[in-house]
Amino acid sequence: MKRYLICSGKGGVGKSTLSVCIARALCARGKSVLLVDCDVGLRSLDLLTGLGQSAVYTWQDVVSENCMLSDALLTDAVGRLSLLMPPAVLFEPISAEKFSQMLEKAAVDFDFCFLDAGAGVDGIVPMLAQASETALVVATPDSVSARAAAKTAEMLWQILPPERLRLLLNRYSVSAVRDGINLCADDMIDETGIRFLGAVPEDAGLRVLPCGKGIASRTASAFDRIAARLLGEAVPFSVRKF
Ligand SMILES: Nc1ncnc2c1ncn2[C@@H]1O[C@H](COP(=O)(O)OP(=O)(O)O)[C@@H](O)[C@H]1O
Ligand SMILES: [Mg+2]
């Protein structure tokens, strides 16, 4: 099971939206994916996946051995996408070792795991980075988000080798770049120092997850291309169509 941390210094840049949509794109390619909502106190993946209704336990219960992993997993009808809910508060500090042990239990059943972090570079985010193989840093194409991503990278470089950090640009719009409103992909790469993984266009359809009605085909294709790259396919980079 490949373990990815989805993070950013800044809130509201699309970490949770991208976690769900990339996970679904991988599921559409036949992979099984575990989403772990790591935004302690401000969960959202239950709403974005529609999987929260029957939740009883959180990953804190699994780590603290209050329940089995299988008791806490919420799984979709197809059986490929599962969710672990976060606690509202942490009762005690969680070590990366214990968190990793929980993920190891999941490794037999899942191909991919996404740890959807909350905003910021402190709290449990360094612990989550230690429990991950790769960090996907999400940023929108503007200078404030670029600064937050650069700060996030500084923290991550203490934990992961530089090549294990990848940049996901969200809400990318070629016309906004042309009009000087947004930074272009090259500028974002230069300002953050993070290797590019992919870009997702601005798309109002993404605001109505989990049904996903109205997601543009170019957005669906952007998620599919990111999924393909995570599966090791050499997919050319292009943001020209956004
Ligand atoms: N590509 C996009 N186009 C339009 N809206 C988006 C896009 N990505 C995210 N959003 C919206 O931005 C808001 C914040 O997204 P969210 O995933 O909750 O961010 P985070 O997890 O980083 O706090 C949500 O209202 C979401 O629907
Ligand atoms: Mg979020």
Side-chain angles (χ1 to χ4, degrees):
M1 182 178 77
K2 293 181 180 162
R3 305 169 179 193
Y4 290 88
L5 171 63
I6 315 267
C7 61
S8 70
K10 198 168 173 291
V13 294
K15 295 177 292 300
S16 300
T17 305
L18 267 51
S19 299
V20 172
C21 293
I22 297 169
R24 288 210 187 278
L26 285 162
C27 291
R29 285 174 165 259
K31 300 297 170 191
S32 52
V33 185
L34 172 62
L35 284 169
V36 187
D37 192 329
C38 297
D39 199 342
V40 173
L42 197 60
R43 67 180 192 270
S44 63
L45 295 190
D46 54 330
L47 298 175
L48 298 184
T49 58
L51 288 176
Q53 289 90 342
S54 56
V56 177
Y57 297 108
T58 71
W59 52 253
Q60 180 167 246
D61 291 310
V62 184
V63 172
S64 310
E65 297 179 8
N66 289 337
C67 73
M68 306 284 286
L69 174 67
S70 53
D71 299 329
L73 285 176
L74 306 165
T75 302
D76 72 353
V78 181
R80 291 219 179 94
L81 185 70
S82 291
L83 171 66
L84 279 176
M85 299 277 271
V89 283
L90 278 181
F91 295 123
E92 55 188 1
I94 306 271
S95 71
E97 196 188 353
K98 284 210 151 187
F99 200 87
S100 294
Q101 280 168 6
M102 173 185 74
L103 297 182
E104 267 151 35
K105 284 182 202 151
V108 283
D109 292 319
F110 296 95
D111 301 303
F112 286 84
C113 168
F114 293 118
L115 309 178
D116 176 31
V121 293
D122 44 14
I124 64 167
V125 183
M127 180 282 282
L128 297 173
Q130 284 173 45
S132 305
E133 291 163 352
T134 304
L136 306 184
V137 181
V138 180
T140 48
D142 56 83
S143 52
V144 176
S145 187
R147 180 181 289 170
K151 199 173 170 192
T152 306
E154 272 173 34
M155 179 277 290
L156 292 169
W157 285 327
Q158 315 285 317
I159 299 166
L160 292 165
E163 68 273 14
R164 305 308 308 178
L165 271 62
R166 304 296 299 272
L167 182 65
L168 281 174
L169 287 183
N170 189 25
R171 310 188 81 154
Y172 202 84
S173 151
V174 166
S175 60
V177 171
R178 202 188 306 119
D179 297 344
I181 297 165
N182 279 170
L183 296 177
C184 67
D186 282 348
D187 287 344
M188 288 297 292
I189 295 164
D190 283 348
E191 291 209 14
T192 60
I194 310 173
R195 206 173 133 210
F196 191 58
L197 175 65
V200 174
E202 173 72 31
D203 184 348
L206 288 174
R207 297 191 197 135
V208 292
L209 292 177
C211 61
K213 275 187 193 142
I215 291 182
S217 62
R218 67 193 168 139
T219 311
S221 136
F223 287 123
D224 184 59
R225 287 201 302 278
I226 292 166
R229 289 183 196 122
L230 294 181
L231 288 166
E233 289 179 28
V235 183
F237 292 112
S238 172
V239 291
R240 271 173 299 165
K241 293 183 194 131
F242 293 2

